[in-house]
Amino acid sequence: MAENKTKPTAASVAEFLDGVAPRRQEESEKLIALMREVSGHEPVLWGPSIIGFGSTHYRYESGREGDMPVLAFSPRKARLTIYFDGFDQYADQLARLGKHASSVSCLYVNKLDDIDLGVLREMLEICHSRFAGK
């Protein structure tokens, strides 16, 4: 079975952020403060570009297993990607969030000013509470 490439590294989050656009740096600092507050964990660089907080172990029915951050985001060039555990349980929040797109487990935001950070916080708190006890 292939090894999971997304795992915590010893790389510096600050040095990683030095390499992204100034607007993404500012937005990343806001997300780091929010996720640090919600999770109680310091940011860790997972793989080359995901900033994660905390860790949880997963195991699929297929037998594949590994670790992933409880809360995480990536400051991509085109848009911010914020990772969740799916979106079935977030219908109310998504309706109030503001301008965004989503896929199976990724929330895409062009800029933080497009969304309500209070609603995002609600979503992060729900996500964190689902995994904090694991």
Side-chain angles (χ1 to χ4, degrees):
M1 194 171 292
E3 184 179 341
N4 191 353
K5 294 178 185 170
T6 305
K7 50 187 166 184
T9 70
S12 165
V13 171
E15 286 179 19
F16 165 69
L17 289 176
D18 284 343
V20 302
R23 184 178 95 201
R24 288 289 184 246
Q25 289 178 15
E26 290 176 30
E27 292 172 326
S28 294
E29 292 301 331
K30 288 179 184 178
L31 284 174
I32 286 170
L34 180 60
M35 290 185 181
R36 179 187 283 134
E37 195 172 301
V38 169
S39 72
H41 292 281
E42 290 301 312
V44 172
L45 200 60
W46 286 66
S49 63
I50 295 174
I51 299 171
F53 298 79
S55 179
T56 188
H57 190 76
Y58 65 87
R59 181 184 311 239
Y60 296 126
E61 289 181 19
S62 66
R64 182 181 171 116
E65 64 182 296
D67 296 305
M68 65 182 193
V70 174
L71 301 179
F73 75 97
S74 184
R76 308 225 185 262
K77 186 175 182 178
R79 53 193 178 177
L80 295 163
T81 302
I82 305 168
Y83 300 95
F84 283 90
D85 55 330
F87 292 103
D88 293 342
Q89 66 274 17
Y90 302 104
D92 176 59
Q93 289 83 8
L94 289 173
R96 298 182 288 120
L97 184 62
K99 187 178 176 184
H100 70 279
S102 61
S103 64
V104 175
S105 61
C106 298
L107 179 72
Y108 303 107
V109 177
N110 290 336
K111 54 187 178 191
L112 279 185
D113 289 342
D114 287 344
I115 63 170
D116 183 322
L117 291 180
V119 175
L120 178 61
R121 180 187 188 96
E122 286 177 41
M123 294 173 69
L124 293 170
E125 288 172 346
I126 291 167
C127 187
H128 183 262
S129 71
R130 291 172 50 89
F131 293 102
K134 283 189 171 181

